[in-house]
Amino acid sequence: MNTFRPAWCLALVLAAPALVHAQATDSAPQALNLQNADIRAFIQDVARATGTTFIVDPRVEGTVTLTSQQDLPPRELLAVLLATLRANGLVAVPVDGGAYRVVPEEGAAQQPGSGASGFRTEVFNLSQVDARGAAESLKPLIGRGGVVVATGANGLLVADYADNIERIRRLIAQVDRDDAAVRTIALRNSGATEIANVIAGLVAPAGTQPSLRTPALTVVPVESSNSLILRGDAGVVARMAQVASDLDVRAETSGDIRVVRLQHATAEDLLPVLQEIVGQPAATPSAQAPQAEGEAGAAQIAAAAPNRRAVIARYPGANALVINASPDMQRTLLDVIRQLDTRREQVLVEALVVEMSDAAAKELGTQLAVAGRDGDVPFGSTNFSGRAPSLLGLAAGASADDIFPDDEDAANALKQAALQSLAGSTGGLLGFGGSSGDLLFGAIINAVKSDTRSNLLSTPSILTLDNEEASILVGQEVPITTGEVLGNNNSNPFRTIQREDVGIQLEVKPQINAGGGITLFLRQEVSAVAGPVSEDFDELVLNKREIETTALVDDGEIVVLGGLLDQNERMTVDKVPGLGDIPGIGALFRNRARERGQTNLMVFIRPRIVRDAGDARALSAERYGYMQRSQPNAELDVLVRQYLNAVPPAPLPADRIVPQPVPDAPR
């Protein structure tokens, strides 16, 4: 019996990868008796005894303890080495030529190799189960250095020891097979969707929402043939098929009256459609009172016979329809209701009204007055319409005491009118007056220049259901006089007033087309009070911009509905005939005014389709975030939590926030 002495083999192990090759000189069985021997020396001894080549990785290190009570032939000795390496976290990967590459388990999956023993890589194609789920289930069964990943073609890539791969192959064969039963059930008296929802509720786990697809059973309603397809465990399929058949039989004997509670549509809108389908006369307007309609509908439903035409009534208190018809007609009506009773899409209509105007005015004029104290000198004066106060009014106020020496109230009235005329003047005034003997004279020179610019920007928006009218008004109610009666001797005067809406008003009716476009029946109005008609007439002048049109707009696109580009210029010359035309001195006898105005008005519109609750939440978050960014100290979150008792809308991701431009500094 030979005993291995690994000590003398240590000198043969190098720091670099070692190539251990030995030619067996004695093929006789040998026994093992190792105590804390270096594993590299043990590999070299086995290589000498079996004549096998080993390529040892530099990371291979450690000691082994082995005891054999009987001699081992070379084949069993090689198997002991492979098992010892595996127990120490190492693996011998077969390579071409019958050699082995000894590496740690962590990198064994990346090593090339082949053979029936050691570390192997294999691909399993799955046909029934999902590869990702199978990979998660097999990970606990894979060795420390093994790998299991799902491939794109529903396959599994497994790298592990050869014996473990064989065990995984048997497990996959047991799992990857279809034992589900499939059964088709034809219904005669019930709707396929209704029975499918009932069965889904029976097989749904406790505490979860019913679904047509569960781990135990899949239910598929087929509306065209009014049937069900069940797929799943054979026992579950058989029980649910019996339940569906029993419900269908019971529906045949349950009577011809059916109550349908609507989820999204309104019974008032749906009733005329169903009545036209069955040929039932529509109810007259006089019979649409809640009490009368309920009594009439109940009488018709109760009196309907099986051979008569189907009768449909509306129950106003619960948004429900009552149908009295044969089972076949009930299925037809229920199918129509199912297709019409869906969540309707909404449309957010946003308008942008921009109006910029620029008005400029210039005026230059002279007023003259000449009179005598005792009436010996003829009276003469020039007086022109314009912004300057009237020279005659000022002269009357100055001479009020002389004009009304005995009427103090009349004199004070003239003085007050003169002061108001002077206080309400604009621009520059130069006036002077005096006397020369019995001659009184006076003059006023006025000059004014005004430049008015305005920029109106309004953004009304409104959310409405598809094909439903909606309107929004932000403004005031302004009183407008429509009639006035003074009566005889002013004994019973009265005035009639009508209030008119003034502000921003948007009326719209959107209609979503099948192609994705939106037809808008729209009316946009922007009005404002411009002031009184004149100083002597206090009725109001209203500026109004109105567009009423029908347009086709794509979802989310911005289009211009209309606009106005208006520019006008007016020049007025008031003068004394003859004297005003004299060169030079003629300027004293004329008044010149020039006015210029320019208006730019554009109306833009943008409709956006809100298809589901997710779109509505995103829209609310967008508007809520805009308000928070515009008014950071408004404490909107506090109001929402305390007043509405709700959670504020979640903020939009940073990539969806459009940066707002910084406004220019005022000029």
Side-chain angles (χ1 to χ4, degrees):
M1 178 181 300
N2 296 329
T3 303
F4 288 105
R5 295 180 300 276
W8 58 270
C9 299
L10 295 177
L12 300 178
V13 181
L14 304 178
L19 177 62
V20 181
H21 174 73
Q23 181 69 33
T25 57
D26 188 0
S27 61
Q30 303 183 35
L32 295 177
N33 187 8
L34 304 177
Q35 297 292 331
N36 295 326
D38 185 78
I39 194 169
R40 288 173 172 263
F42 177 48
I43 294 174
Q44 186 174 4
D45 288 345
V46 173
R48 292 174 58 85
T50 60
T52 306
T53 301
F54 292 93
I55 303 173
V56 183
D57 192 272
R59 294 171 294 173
V60 175
E61 58 183 11
T63 59
V64 296
T65 299
L66 294 174
T67 301
S68 174
Q69 301 298 330
Q70 57 184 358
D71 296 340
L72 299 176
R75 182 180 299 275
E76 295 183 5
L77 186 60
L78 181 59
V80 169
L81 173 61
L82 297 179
T84 303
L85 294 176
R86 185 170 180 178
N88 286 271
L90 304 173
V91 61
V93 181
V95 296
D96 294 337
Y100 289 89
R101 183 187 301 272
V102 182
V103 295
E105 283 185 345
E106 288 75 6
Q110 287 78 30
Q111 298 292 331
S114 61
S117 61
F119 219 82
R120 277 185 11 203
T121 301
E122 192 163 343
V123 177
F124 299 92
N125 294 319
L126 307 180
S127 59
Q128 302 297 331
V129 298
D130 182 62
R132 292 184 177 87
E136 294 295 329
S137 301
L138 292 176
K139 279 184 179 179
L141 305 179
I142 300 298
R144 182 170 54 184
V147 175
V148 54
V149 293
T151 62
N154 199 41
L156 284 179
L157 176 64
V158 181
D160 203 350
Y161 291 99
D163 55 352
N164 203 24
I165 286 183
E166 294 299 328
R167 181 166 66 98
I168 292 175
R169 185 194 307 276
R170 294 192 296 270
L171 291 176
I172 292 177
Q174 297 177 9
V175 174
D176 188 30
R177 59 184 182 181
D178 187 10
D179 296 332
V182 179
R183 186 167 177 179
T184 303
I185 304 171
L187 304 175
R188 294 187 176 184
N189 308 298
S190 304
T193 302
E194 179 185 9
I195 300 299
N197 292 331
V198 173
I199 294 177
L202 293 177
V203 298
T208 61
Q209 292 292 333
S211 174
L212 298 181
R213 183 179 299 274
T214 65
L217 184 69
T218 300
V219 187
V220 180
V222 183
E223 298 294 342
S224 60
S225 60
N226 195 39
S227 58
L228 292 179
I229 299 178
L230 305 180
R231 182 182 182 277
D233 181 74
V236 177
V237 169
R239 292 196 302 271
M240 294 300 105
Q242 184 62 37
V243 170
S245 300
D246 292 344
L247 292 176
D248 189 44
V249 173
R250 291 177 181 273
E252 183 178 6
T253 60
S254 62
D256 296 332
I257 298 179
R258 184 75 173 269
V259 178
V260 182
R261 295 182 179 270
L262 303 178
Q263 301 294 327
H264 304 283
T266 60
E268 185 178 2
D269 296 336
L270 200 56
L271 178 61
V273 178
L274 300 179
Q275 288 177 337
E276 290 186 9
I277 293 177
V278 300
Q280 176 185 348
T284 59
S286 60
Q288 290 183 355
Q291 182 177 0
E293 182 181 358
E295 294 175 356
Q300 291 178 353
I301 290 292
N307 295 329
R308 291 180 58 187
R309 183 179 299 170
V311 179
I312 307 171
R314 175 176 69 92
Y315 178 61
N319 192 34
L321 294 173
V322 184
I323 302 175
N324 186 4
S326 63
D328 292 339
M329 179 58 68
Q330 283 190 16
R331 285 196 300 271
T332 301
L333 296 177
L334 290 177
D335 183 64
V336 174
I337 293 174
R338 179 184 58 82
Q339 298 183 49
L340 297 180
D341 188 23
T342 58
R343 182 187 179 96
R344 295 172 63 182
E345 296 177 336
Q346 302 180 87
V347 178
L348 174 67
V349 181
E350 300 169 296
L352 180 63
V353 182
V354 182
E355 180 178 355
M356 294 176 290
S357 61
D358 188 1
K362 296 180 181 180
E363 183 176 342
L364 178 62
T366 303
Q367 300 181 54
L368 302 175
V370 178
R373 293 181 183 274
D374 300 327
D376 297 336
V377 179
F379 170 77
S381 175
T382 59
N383 189 20
F384 304 111
S385 61
R387 300 171 182 261
S390 173
L391 179 59
L392 296 179
L394 296 179
S399 305
D401 294 334
D402 296 333
I403 297 175
F404 300 101
D406 299 328
D407 191 347
E408 184 178 358
D409 293 337
N412 292 334
L414 283 178
K415 295 178 182 179
Q416 185 69 24
L419 290 176
Q420 290 181 353
S421 175
L422 186 61
S425 62
T426 59
L429 292 177
L430 177 61
F432 59 91
S435 63
S436 177
D438 293 335
L439 181 64
L440 300 176
F441 59 89
I444 293 179
I445 300 175
N446 65 289
V448 61
K449 178 180 180 181
S450 63
D451 191 355
T452 304
R453 296 182 180 181
S454 63
N455 186 358
L456 173 64
L457 176 64
S458 58
T459 57
S461 62
I462 190 169
L463 179 67
T464 181
L465 284 173
D466 177 28
N467 211 28
E468 291 288 344
E469 294 183 358
S471 63
I472 182 174
L473 171 63
V474 181
Q476 298 175 324
E477 286 188 348
V478 177
I480 305 296
T481 301
T482 58
E484 185 176 8
V485 176
L486 298 178
N488 297 330
N489 299 323
N490 293 333
S491 60
N492 188 23
F494 68 90
R495 175 182 297 178
T496 58
I497 294 176
Q498 178 180 352
R499 296 188 177 272
E500 184 173 344
D501 295 330
V502 175
I504 301 172
Q505 186 172 2
L506 174 63
E507 298 177 1
V508 64
K509 181 180 179 181
Q511 177 179 312
I512 302 176
N513 304 325
I518 305 172
T519 301
L520 293 176
F521 306 93
L522 183 139
R523 177 179 174 270
Q524 171 75 58
E525 177 184 316
V526 179
S527 56
V529 178
V533 176
S534 64
E535 296 180 358
D536 301 330
F537 192 56
D538 58 356
E539 294 299 330
L540 299 179
V541 176
L542 302 181
N543 290 336
K544 182 177 291 186
R545 313 284 191 265
E546 181 178 351
I547 291 179
E548 186 171 355
T549 183
T550 301
L552 179 61
V553 189
D554 291 333
D555 179 22
E557 296 295 330
I558 300 177
V559 297
V560 58
L561 288 184
L564 171 67
L565 302 178
D566 181 29
Q567 183 172 355
N568 58 79
E569 186 171 350
R570 182 173 62 180
M571 179 177 291
T572 303
V573 178
D574 297 331
K575 62 183 178 180
V576 177
L579 297 178
D581 297 329
I582 300 175
I585 196 173
L588 299 176
F589 300 96
R590 64 173 176 259
N591 185 82
R592 185 187 300 271
R594 180 179 181 182
E595 297 180 1
R596 180 180 58 84
Q598 181 176 358
T599 301
N600 296 330
L601 172 66
M602 287 292 171
V603 178
F604 301 89
I605 203 76
R606 183 195 185 196
R608 297 166 62 182
I609 299 177
V610 181
R611 303 186 184 278
D612 50 24
D615 290 348
R617 285 192 295 269
L619 179 62
S620 300
E622 177 183 338
R623 291 292 182 266
Y624 191 85
Y626 174 78
M627 293 301 299
Q628 280 188 322
R629 293 190 298 271
S630 301
Q631 303 290 336
N633 299 323
E635 298 183 354
L636 295 179
D637 291 346
V638 177
L639 292 177
V640 171
R641 290 190 177 95
Q642 295 182 357
Y643 182 73
L644 298 180
N645 194 23
V647 179
L652 289 177
D655 56 350
R656 294 190 59 184
I657 299 178
V658 179
Q660 300 297 325
V662 179
D664 297 335
R667 294 179 292 177

